[in-house]
Amino acid sequence: MSRPREDRAGGAGFPARPGHAARHTDDPSLGPARHLGSARGMPGWLKIGTAVVSILLVGVIAFGAYWAIRLQGNITKASLGAGSEKTEGAVDDSRDRMQILVLGSDTRDGKNSQYGGAGDSTGYGHSDVMMLLDISADNKRVNVISFPRDLLVDIPKCTDQETKREFPAQKNVMINAAMSEAGIGCAVDTVNKLTGLEIDHFMMADFNSVKELSNTVGGVDVCISDAVYDPDSGLRLPKGTSKVQGEQALAFLRARHAFADGGDLGRIKGQQGFLSALVRKIKDDGTLSNPAKTLQIADVVTKNLTIDEGMASVPTLLTVANRLKNIDVGKVAFVAVPTAPAVSDVNRLQLAEPAASQLFAAMRKDIDLTDPTATPSPSASPDAGASASAEPAPSQSAAAYDKAVQPVTVANGSGVPARTQEIIKVLTTGGFTQLGQLAARPVAATAVYYGAGYGDVAADVATLLGIPAAQVLPAAGVNGVQVYLGSDLVGGTASGDGPVELPSDIVNQTAGDVVCQQANPALITR
């Protein structure tokens, strides 16, 4: 912001002119009479140059203001959550680690009505696509975690922030239904509960955004092993590499039966392949360094985007885009949450353990999924499971005991189902093998309770899990030791700096990989 010019020598704004300079002179030696002010004026070429620069400057300001107003007017906003309590402060969008939940809505409103009637999507619609974009604090890597829409999860109690109507918690329902009743914020709360993270922002796009964006960038190259036709999505591609845009780009992303065995996991790999190719296209074309092209993309995206209130400004969106433009495509990792056929319904999926818990723990510790052995950057946030309090000292029991026969139960009141397996894994590694699980009501603080004669065992369990000594308590009615997990997510890291175990194939591909999708044999055409 410019400051007002200070008055100097009495505050005169301009130098005083001599009295004779304001009138014609009578001295013949000075030549023909003329107004001296004209002689002291700027040259003609400088006047013209100044006028041109002024016009250009006004034009640039007007152009910038036009686009700022236009883009801001495009944005649709919604609440980040649906009633859950946040324990973390707001992030600095320019330099903190940031997690953005990216959703694709199946709503049939407006321009999307050609893809079905109102009966095909209820309420706020379902999420056809659900991905968690995790940007590291140093802007050197991005993890993109896909959640299958058929994944069965527990949805927490949610309140529609528009109507204030409250919806009860639901158990064992498809994750793509999380937003259908109480809005996008409920999908955010559901993913927070599932992973133990706290999402900072969300972006939700509809069918039309994919078509317009693919047209704006001039098409995206995709590859498939065989010629295929999927009548449900309308996708028809020849064998090999094809450029898709508009309706075919949308068909590629929506195709549920065209890839692999025709299930949701094949669809996820197809989506990840498309996004990888889109990232390469934008990077290779230098789009994010081209202001005109960037504005075109921004216009298309904001017209078809709903974002949370904390992100709903053009400067914030540009800040995030600026963070992404220089990331190495080899450090953009695409991952699918590990799943297995659900016990309750073989046509649905459930988390595959311990792989899912390992993934969520690695995410909370901000691990580079392309290189889990790498040291996290100093600016990265500490593990949410680590405790800032002093750990209890190991017990000084007079006689050693056999850990393998000590009864230890895990009661999970954290609201994060995957925490149970994390804790059991640490306990098992530490030698405690007589383990049980209990259903538990939600609590805020983690504690270790112990029955008579088990104080030394409880102290050792607490030390192993990194739970402070002040949270180790005697309790009548507890048989052995009970680890009651709270929403503070304390515990489960043993030393807090040990190596992270992850399945070797946890990363499906990076944005630098050119992957050909395997066609579903049932839909291959000749």
Side-chain angles (χ1 to χ4, degrees):
M1 180 171 67
S2 61
R3 293 184 177 180
R5 198 189 314 269
E6 293 181 359
D7 290 343
R8 292 182 175 87
F14 299 94
R17 297 177 62 189
H20 65 268
R23 61 180 182 268
H24 298 289
T25 178
D26 296 325
D27 187 348
S29 67
L30 294 178
R34 65 183 65 182
H35 195 286
L36 295 181
S38 298
R40 300 173 63 90
M42 65 178 67
W45 66 267
L46 185 55
K47 287 184 179 180
I48 295 171
T50 302
V52 170
V53 170
S54 298
I55 291 170
L56 289 175
L57 183 60
V58 170
V60 168
I61 293 173
F63 178 79
Y66 164 77
W67 275 103
I69 293 170
R70 174 167 172 164
L71 295 179
Q72 190 67 51
N74 288 344
I75 294 173
T76 301
K77 300 182 291 184
S79 297
L80 178 61
S84 63
E85 293 183 7
K86 281 187 67 68
T87 62
E88 300 174 0
V91 295
D92 183 328
D93 293 318
S94 62
R95 62 181 183 179
D96 287 345
R97 181 188 179 194
M98 181 188 295
Q99 286 141 358
I100 305 171
L101 187 64
V102 179
L103 301 161
S105 170
D106 71 352
T107 180
R108 266 70 176 183
D109 292 340
K111 296 178 181 178
N112 301 299
S113 59
Q114 62 182 296
Y115 304 107
D120 294 319
S121 65
T122 58
Y124 288 95
H126 293 71
S127 52
D128 253 15
V129 178
M130 181 180 283
M131 295 179 173
L132 182 58
L133 186 71
D134 187 3
I135 307 171
S136 68
D138 57 12
N139 295 338
K140 291 184 177 179
R141 52 190 167 80
V142 175
N143 296 323
V144 184
I145 316 298
S146 292
F147 297 84
R149 67 182 215 168
D150 290 346
L151 178 63
L152 297 179
V153 298
D154 293 342
I155 297 176
K157 180 177 68 175
C158 291
T159 301
D160 185 331
Q161 298 302 293
E162 292 292 327
T163 66
K164 303 306 178 184
R165 180 182 174 188
E166 186 177 289
F167 294 88
Q170 303 176 67
K171 287 189 172 293
N172 212 39
V173 296
M174 286 170 56
I175 196 169
N176 76 328
M179 60 180 268
S180 62
E181 292 182 332
I184 307 169
C186 194
V188 172
D189 288 354
T190 299
V191 175
N192 284 344
K193 176 178 180 179
L194 187 68
T195 62
L197 298 166
E198 280 198 11
I199 292 168
D200 303 303
H201 298 295
F202 72 75
M203 296 181 174
M204 187 183 76
D206 58 18
F207 294 146
N208 195 60
S209 62
V210 175
K211 294 192 300 182
E212 293 193 14
L213 179 58
S214 62
N215 285 331
T216 301
V217 300
V220 176
D221 290 333
V222 297
C223 180
I224 193 162
S225 63
D226 298 273
V228 69
Y229 173 58
D230 178 5
D232 289 338
S233 67
L235 179 68
R236 186 188 294 275
L237 289 176
K239 177 180 179 178
T241 300
S242 302
K243 187 182 295 292
V244 295
Q245 62 187 93
E247 289 291 348
Q248 279 295 286
L250 176 59
F252 191 91
L253 287 175
R254 292 185 66 209
R256 183 172 175 80
H257 306 297
F259 310 120
D261 62 356
D264 208 24
L265 298 181
R267 182 171 179 263
I268 280 178
K269 287 190 175 182
Q271 292 168 348
Q272 293 178 340
F274 179 93
L275 291 177
S276 295
L278 178 61
V279 169
R280 292 194 301 274
K281 171 85 173 182
I282 291 175
K283 292 278 286 186
D284 292 346
D285 289 355
T287 299
L288 294 180
S289 299
N290 181 331
K293 200 69 173 177
T294 300
L295 284 174
Q296 276 186 286
I297 291 177
D299 193 33
V300 167
V301 170
T302 52
K303 281 179 182 176
N304 301 282
L305 198 67
T306 300
I307 54 183
D308 66 278
E309 293 162 342
M311 202 180 192
S313 72
V314 173
T316 302
L317 290 173
L318 292 176
T319 295
V320 175
N322 190 59
R323 292 184 63 170
L324 295 172
K325 71 179 182 181
N326 293 321
I327 291 178
D328 179 358
V329 291
K331 285 297 183 180
V332 180
F334 288 91
V335 175
V337 171
T339 57
V343 173
S344 60
D345 183 348
V346 294
N347 295 312
R348 299 290 180 257
L349 299 169
Q350 67 183 34
L351 293 178
E353 297 294 359
S357 292
Q358 290 170 347
L359 171 62
F360 298 151
M363 291 171 66
R364 289 196 296 273
K365 292 185 68 135
D366 195 19
I367 297 299
D368 180 353
L369 298 183
T370 64
D371 183 11
T373 61
T375 303
S377 59
S379 56
S381 300
D383 176 23
S387 171
S389 305
E391 295 180 354
S395 63
Q396 302 297 322
S397 52
Y401 61 83
D402 184 359
K403 291 182 178 180
V405 299
Q406 307 305 315
V408 180
T409 57
V410 178
N412 191 349
S414 70
V416 182
R419 291 284 289 159
T420 300
Q421 293 302 320
E422 289 179 28
I423 298 300
I424 286 177
K425 184 177 185 301
V426 176
L427 290 171
T428 302
T429 302
F432 294 96
T433 57
Q434 189 174 324
L435 303 173
Q437 302 178 36
L438 293 174
R441 64 179 178 80
V443 295
T446 296
V448 176
Y449 298 104
Y450 61 90
Y454 286 93
D456 53 350
V457 181
D460 287 342
V461 166
T463 298
L464 182 65
L465 296 176
I467 297 173
Q471 292 166 232
V472 181
L473 307 167
V478 171
N479 178 27
V481 175
Q482 180 186 112
V483 181
Y484 202 130
L485 303 174
S487 58
D488 54 1
L489 300 182
V490 168
T493 59
S495 65
D497 57 2
V500 173
E501 293 185 37
L502 279 169
S504 58
D505 59 350
I506 193 68
V507 176
N508 286 340
Q509 69 173 94
T510 71
D513 300 328
V514 179
V515 176
C516 229
Q517 304 304 318
Q518 183 64 45
N520 180 0
L523 297 180
I524 291 177
T525 60
R526 302 299 177 189

